Amino acid sequence: MTDALTMAKRFAFDREPLSVEPYGCGHINETYLVKQAGSRAILQRINRKVFPDIPALMENVAGVTAFLRRVVSREGGDPGRECLRLIPALDGGSYAVDSEGEYWRVYAFVEHTATLQTAETPEQLHSAGVAFGRFQRRLDGYPAATLHEIIPRFHDTASRYEDFERAVAEDRMGRAASAAEEIAFVRARRGEAGRLVSLLERGELPLRVTHNDTKLNNVLLDEKTFAPMCVIDLDTVMPGLSLYDFGDSIRFGASTAAEDETDLSRVSCDLNLFESYTRGFLSECGALLTDAERELLPFGAKMMTYECGMRFLADYLAGDTYFRIHRPAHNLDRCRTQFKLVADMEVKTAEMNAAVARSL
Ligand code: ADP
Ligand code: GN1
Ligand code: MG
């Protein structure tokens, strides 16, 4: 495979790339830090199996980053720190393709920022809420019809349920018996899987331009103050529901433990963190949301957690072909934390509703 340094040299940097090293902890793309004399950048090899049409994906990213830059400037913000900037390839395109057909791209590094894997304080999660709420608000006028639907039915939980049942039926690795309890957990909640998509189809929830992968580590915060800075990982920006963005952030950020924690007694949905994120998110985009969206925020959190757990479990059953794993049964561990969170959210629904009401 073409090495990352060779690929870095195919982009239009001011200074020669000197070294590259693996960076970050995403499950899908391969990310590298490129160092030059006096500056650095982010180089990524985009996952071809997950994203079948990378030129379309890059068209979305280029469109969204250019749009955001204009909005940030209009609002008197700093586009250099508040939105991602693609560094073009030497041929002027937004990506470069290597001899094996792999796609690579480069972003300018947003300096003096931090990425968190877990929120250490409610203030940090509040900041993430502000960042993603702002992202939603700033993209409100984006011409949604020009966006490619990069992964169709990405957050269609009913369709994800069908994929999951297929993985159970095929049981390609002979693992279903070892995950009987988890499979039963998913099946017991089958009736709820289609609720959000039905509301969308009936016109009771509006389609918006959403990020769709709003993990805490997909936002850069100021390294000193933890003020919200820049939303990153724009591969899945597509038309979607506000509840997807809110819900996925809660799934990851309001959990008291890592996504792959094996000691489930440490995993719960922290109501303090939930309320902090909610306040931040709504302070930016609350005025945009309809009553139905506001009421469904806690349900959105539960559905995104349920859906993600189901995806981890389906991938475990299918032989770990989608999410990168770092140990055997990693995806089974991941699905267990998600289901622990779902069960905890079910117990805490009334408190979550009250927290939303207080945050409006
Ligand atoms: P993945 O798809 O693998 O999750 P991301 O785009 O989220 O890739 O990048 C992985 C990590 O790299 C992020 O969590 C963040 O720490 C860092 N990162 C990505 N883009 C930038 C950037 N422009 N400036 C600074 N850090 C970045
Ligand atoms: C993947 O790329 P990354 O790590 O930010 C996944 C998300 C999941 C998440 C679970 C394109 O996100 O949908 O919620 O893992 N991205 C894609 O951690 O499938
Ligand atoms: Mg990421």
Side-chain angles (χ1 to χ4, degrees):
M1 195 200 303
T2 313
D3 70 277
L5 183 58
T6 304
M7 286 316 291
K9 290 179 178 167
R10 289 187 47 189
F11 287 83
F13 291 113
D14 299 340
R15 301 185 187 99
E16 172 89 352
L18 300 175
S19 68
V20 294
E21 59 196 59
Y23 197 72
C25 13
H27 299 336
I28 306 293
N29 294 322
E30 261 177 32
T31 300
Y32 300 89
L33 181 68
V34 183
K35 289 185 181 155
Q36 303 120 287
S39 66
R40 41 196 194 155
I42 290 285
L43 168 72
Q44 293 182 313
R45 183 161 71 92
I46 309 169
N47 189 318
R48 260 200 297 171
K49 213 161 70 191
V50 167
F51 301 113
D53 189 351
I54 295 176
L57 179 156
M58 291 306 296
E59 219 177 283
N60 281 359
V61 172
V64 168
T65 50
F67 184 91
L68 282 174
R69 200 166 307 127
R70 286 195 296 274
V71 178
V72 171
S73 299
R74 211 166 46 228
E75 291 181 357
D78 176 357
R81 297 201 81 204
E82 293 180 48
C83 50
L84 280 178
R85 180 168 63 86
L86 284 166
I87 294 181
L90 289 173
D91 66 6
S94 60
Y95 56 85
V97 186
D98 69 20
S99 53
E100 279 103 310
E102 298 286 349
Y103 288 71
W104 300 74
R105 68 161 169 232
V106 172
Y107 287 118
F109 197 93
V110 185
E111 293 293 348
H112 308 300
T113 55
T115 327
L116 305 175
Q117 301 308 326
T118 50
E120 289 135 18
T121 65
E123 289 71 30
Q124 291 171 347
L125 206 59
H126 181 271
S127 253
V130 171
F132 285 119
R134 196 172 276 171
F135 185 82
Q136 185 102 144
R137 178 177 61 68
R138 284 176 171 166
L139 287 180
D140 190 38
Y142 194 84
T146 65
L147 275 177
H148 303 281
E149 199 180 356
I150 289 306
I151 303 181
R153 297 175 187 268
F154 190 59
H155 282 309
D156 178 336
T157 313
S159 155
R160 294 289 188 184
Y161 183 87
E162 284 168 26
D163 298 343
F164 156 78
E165 282 293 1
R166 207 171 307 119
V168 177
E170 285 174 9
D171 193 16
R172 216 171 285 168
M173 310 298 289
R175 292 174 171 175
S178 68
E181 218 177 292
E182 289 74 21
I183 292 169
F185 186 95
V186 175
R187 287 180 170 157
R189 286 154 185 81
R190 176 192 187 162
E192 290 180 311
R195 187 166 166 207
L196 293 181
V197 170
S198 303
L199 288 168
L200 174 64
E201 282 166 0
R202 293 206 299 268
E204 291 172 38
L205 285 173
L207 197 62
R208 301 184 182 279
V209 172
T210 49
H211 182 284
N212 297 304
D213 186 6
T214 52
K215 293 201 281 198
L216 180 61
N217 61 16
N218 283 335
V219 60
L220 304 176
L221 305 179
D222 182 276
E223 68 185 358
K224 288 207 182 80
T225 63
F226 296 110
M229 214 38 72
C230 182
V231 168
I232 60 169
D233 210 342
L234 305 177
D235 298 337
T236 50
V237 173
M238 280 181 280
L241 297 180
S242 59
L243 304 171
Y244 300 159
D245 281 6
F246 176 84
D248 197 48
S249 281
I250 297 300
R251 170 190 84 72
F252 191 89
S255 173
T256 50
E259 192 179 66
D260 59 356
E261 173 63 57
T262 50
D263 177 358
L264 292 180
S265 71
R266 299 176 64 177
V267 182
S268 66
C269 175
D270 183 307
L271 288 168
N272 225 338
L273 291 174
F274 176 85
E275 185 157 345
S276 297
Y277 185 90
T278 306
R279 283 184 186 278
F281 187 76
L282 293 179
S283 71
E284 284 284 336
C285 71
L288 216 76
L289 303 187
T290 64
D291 289 347
E293 285 175 296
R294 291 175 187 159
E295 271 163 37
L296 283 163
L297 290 171
F299 182 73
K302 177 180 153 184
M303 268 308 98
M304 287 302 96
T305 313
Y306 171 69
E307 179 189 283
C308 192
M310 189 158 69
R311 292 174 63 198
F312 286 142
L313 179 52
D315 197 35
Y316 170 72
L317 297 173
D320 309 303
T321 61
Y322 188 95
F323 297 105
R324 185 177 307 124
I325 57 165
H326 305 288
R327 58 177 188 251
H330 205 166
N331 278 317
L332 182 61
D333 293 340
R334 289 173 177 149
C335 97
R336 287 179 170 151
T337 63
Q338 302 306 292
F339 297 155
K340 176 78 195 292
L341 282 171
V342 169
D344 196 40
M345 288 177 188
E346 286 172 345
V347 173
K348 293 175 176 164
T349 303
E351 283 124 305
M352 288 163 84
N353 285 332
V356 171
R358 278 195 297 274
S359 307
L360 286 168

